[in-house]
Amino acid sequence: MNGKPSFLWALIIGAIFPILETLIFFLRFSAFNATASALDYFFFYLAGVIVGLGLIYFLQKSQSQGAFRGAIVGCILGVPLALFGMIMGGLMGPLGVIFLGVSPAIGLVALGYFIGRLFSKTA
């Protein structure tokens, strides 16, 4: 595959997670979270950057179009689970946000990558 994404894209991917968390909070409670500190949003951003690094790692590692698409589909499926894990992990503190948010997302990206690689070899 040509045109592999740079790891700098992880910084942009990370910015999506605090925005989505704010949107979810607003849709649920019809107000913004006035009690959240900047540190809370930083941990959402940090977890998003780690998810982005995992996605880009598997995208750069992909040798076939199937593995590339599988990693993208895994990321699309993993983001809602990651957001749920981050919000529920917030009850356990910053480590809960990072571990419960990152694990399902990177797990699904890896699963999508390996399934895509498997089917691209047999096709």
Side-chain angles (χ1 to χ4, degrees):
M1 294 266 336
N2 295 333
K4 305 282 183 172
S6 168
F7 280 105
L8 292 175
W9 277 97
L11 301 174
I12 296 170
I13 294 170
I16 294 170
F17 284 84
I19 293 170
L20 287 175
E21 187 272 334
T22 303
L23 181 65
I24 290 169
F25 192 91
F26 183 77
L27 291 174
R28 173 63 180 97
F29 298 111
S30 300
F32 290 108
N33 189 357
T35 61
S37 68
L39 192 60
D40 295 337
Y41 291 109
F42 172 74
F43 283 114
F44 275 92
Y45 175 73
L46 182 62
V49 168
I50 294 170
V51 170
L53 288 172
L55 171 65
I56 292 168
Y57 169 77
F58 283 107
L59 290 179
Q60 286 188 351
K61 189 177 174 182
S62 62
Q63 298 294 325
S64 66
Q65 190 69 21
F68 191 88
R69 275 191 244 132
I72 296 290
V73 169
C75 182
I76 291 170
L77 295 175
V79 166
L81 291 175
L83 282 169
F84 181 75
M86 286 179 193
I87 292 170
M88 291 297 118
L91 300 172
M92 295 178 2
L95 292 177
V97 169
I98 292 173
F99 288 128
L100 292 177
V102 170
S103 301
I106 291 187
L108 283 175
V109 169
L111 181 67
Y113 166 79
F114 288 119
I115 289 174
R117 190 174 81 171
L118 177 72
F119 283 123
S120 66
K121 283 186 177 181
T122 60

